[in-house]
Amino acid sequence: MHRAARTATAVIAASTALAVVTGCGGSSGAEVAADAEQTLTVWAMGAEGEKLAEVAEEYEKENPHLKVKVTPVGWDVAHQKLVSAAAAGNLPDIAQMGGSYLGEFAELGVLEPVDTQRFQEKDFFPAGWQQGEVDGEVYGVPWYVDTRVLYYRTDLAEKAGVDKAPADWKELRALASAYQKDAGTKWGLSIQPSGLDTVQSFYPFLYSAGGEIIDEDGKVVVDSPAAVKALKEYGAYFDKGLANKSVPPGYDVVKDFGNGRVPMFFGGPWHVTLLNEGQPGIKGKWAVAEVPADETSVSMAGGSSLTVSKDSPHKAASEEFISYLTSTEGQADWYERTKDLPANTTAWESGALADDPALKVFEKQMKTAKASPTLASLSEITDKVDQAIAQVTQGKATAEEALGKAKDQIEGLVQK
């Protein structure tokens, strides 16, 4: 069992023993029919928790036999809160989980497998569905997705003599150089040099080169020729002075994109809103494009799934609520409230999702986006990759050396 899972399992084992002694435990009794009067408990993270409470109120009007109690949970405490609830047998009926959590809790045996007759893979983006899969079983229904695309200043590109988005690595590096030389920007491209989750900045390079951290067979391949090639290309931006080697915590790329110090960065869908609202002075002077390709154009996939507790007595009603939230209607409504990208592909067929050119880029990128492996030790694994990237960007190791070391460390984490 992976280390993160072992830690949580130890907590659960201790709690179970205490429950036996004290006569306390989790939920019990027969499952409640979907149309019976009942209260569903739901935990949602961050801003989603606040917005989901509004949706729940509307849902209750159409389903008066239900009370949906939504508890917003901060991302900074979400993991520990879920672990403690699992240990005590008090997980909510429904919980939002990202891919970095889902593998751990599925392995602990506290999640109900998804009914794949009711919720079908064909209705969702492939990478969104894969984030809910663990060892061939599905434990989470995709709720919303995100990916990274290239944001670039079109006005500064024109000043540098370039009139189109870079389509491949060669064009990306050439544009970064031209921005500095001919448009007078401080940097050519903003990519993260080190620190927590640097790997997310590296994924578009890794995946587009055909590399992975762990392959479908569970083999650690972080030092493959494709991965080495990707890290060399990533490191070249720092070596040639095209990217900043020292970025402070909490760095706001939106501000530097607006003032022209940074003319390109890889960003998520939320950056569209941040730029429109926070940088009105560059309206019409920027655009988004797919990740520049090496072998292909592949970006990372993110987002969240909705899970049901295995101990929940309200599984039927929980499935009904999740079915609404992930339906075409529910997904379109959720986008209007939050701007989270729908995981259900049919929600993209009408309205702003069908007509907005920027959103169409995200839709196209999501079709090829790649999900991280759903492993209990995923956070520990990506930390080792973060360290390898930093070694290269700071000129302390070659790509071969850094990734070879990371491979040795990661193999120790994935062994059961």
Side-chain angles (χ1 to χ4, degrees), residues 126-128 130 146-150 166-169 172 199-213 216 226 230 234 266-267 289-302 361-372:
Q130 289 159 13
D146 73 64
T147 189
R148 304 293 184 270
V149 299
L150 181 70
D168 56 32
W169 283 5
L172 179 65
V199 69
Q200 293 192 10
S201 192
F202 177 55
Y203 278 141
F205 290 84
L206 177 66
Y207 292 154
S208 291
E212 295 181 87
I213 298 174
E216 294 180 356
Y234 192 89
F266 292 102
E290 289 180 77
V291 166
D294 179 42
E295 294 294 325
T296 54
S297 171
V298 184
S299 191
M300 64 165 284
V361 173
F362 280 99
E363 180 187 18
K364 190 173 181 180
Q365 194 74 74
M366 266 307 305
K367 291 178 179 178
T368 62
K370 191 172 184 64
S372 299

Side-chain angles (χ1 to χ4, degrees), residues 21 88 143 174 224 344 357 384:
V21 172
W143 186 20
S224 70
N344 187 322
K384 303 307 179 188

Side-chain angles (χ1 to χ4, degrees), residues 386-399:
D386 289 344
Q387 294 175 33
I389 297 168
Q391 286 287 301
V392 172
T393 64
Q394 304 307 306
K396 296 180 179 179
T398 66

Side-chain angles (χ1 to χ4, degrees), residues 21 31 51 90 95 107 111 119 140-141 166 189-190 197 300 363 380:
V21 172
E31 291 189 19
K51 294 294 184 180
N90 289 326
E107 189 169 300
L111 302 180
F119 302 99
V141 181
L189 172 69
S190 177
D197 290 334
M300 64 165 284
E363 180 187 18
E380 294 172 281

Side-chain angles (χ1 to χ4, degrees), residues 263-310:
M264 290 192 292
F265 69 96
F266 292 102
W270 60 90
H271 284 110
V272 172
T273 301
L274 291 175
L275 287 169
N276 286 338
E277 295 180 355
Q279 301 294 329
I282 59 169
K283 183 177 181 180
K285 299 178 180 179
W286 60 272
V288 296
E290 289 180 77
V291 166
D294 179 42
E295 294 294 325
T296 54
S297 171
V298 184
S299 191
M300 64 165 284
S304 283
S305 298
L306 296 170
T307 64
V308 176
S309 168
K310 194 164 189 175

Side-chain angles (χ1 to χ4, degrees), residues 20-87:
V20 171
V21 172
T22 61
C24 298
S27 59
S28 60
E31 291 189 19
V32 181
D35 58 356
E37 289 191 10
Q38 59 197 290
T39 298
L40 292 182
T41 55
V42 184
W43 288 2
M45 317 312 176
E48 280 76 19
E50 302 293 340
K51 294 294 184 180
L52 186 57
E54 299 173 5
V55 176
E57 288 182 8
E58 296 298 319
Y59 188 76
E60 287 173 346
K61 293 176 183 178
E62 299 297 323
N63 299 272
H65 62 288
L66 279 182
K67 175 68 176 176
V68 182
K69 182 181 179 182
V70 178
T71 300
V73 180
W75 279 113
D76 57 335
V77 298
H79 181 264
Q80 184 55 51
K81 190 174 176 67
L82 285 165
V83 168
S84 298

Side-chain angles (χ1 to χ4, degrees), residues 314-361:
H314 308 288
K315 292 187 181 72
S318 295
E319 283 192 355
E320 292 281 355
F321 188 43
I322 292 175
S323 184
Y324 169 71
L325 293 176
T326 59
S327 68
T328 301
E329 175 189 356
Q331 294 268 279
D333 175 67
W334 188 244
Y335 172 75
E336 289 300 319
R337 294 174 186 271
T338 66
K339 302 308 178 187
D340 286 340
L341 300 182
N344 187 322
T345 55
T346 58
W348 291 77
E349 295 175 0
S350 62
L353 287 159
D355 300 330
D356 189 314
L359 290 174
K360 296 304 291 183
V361 173

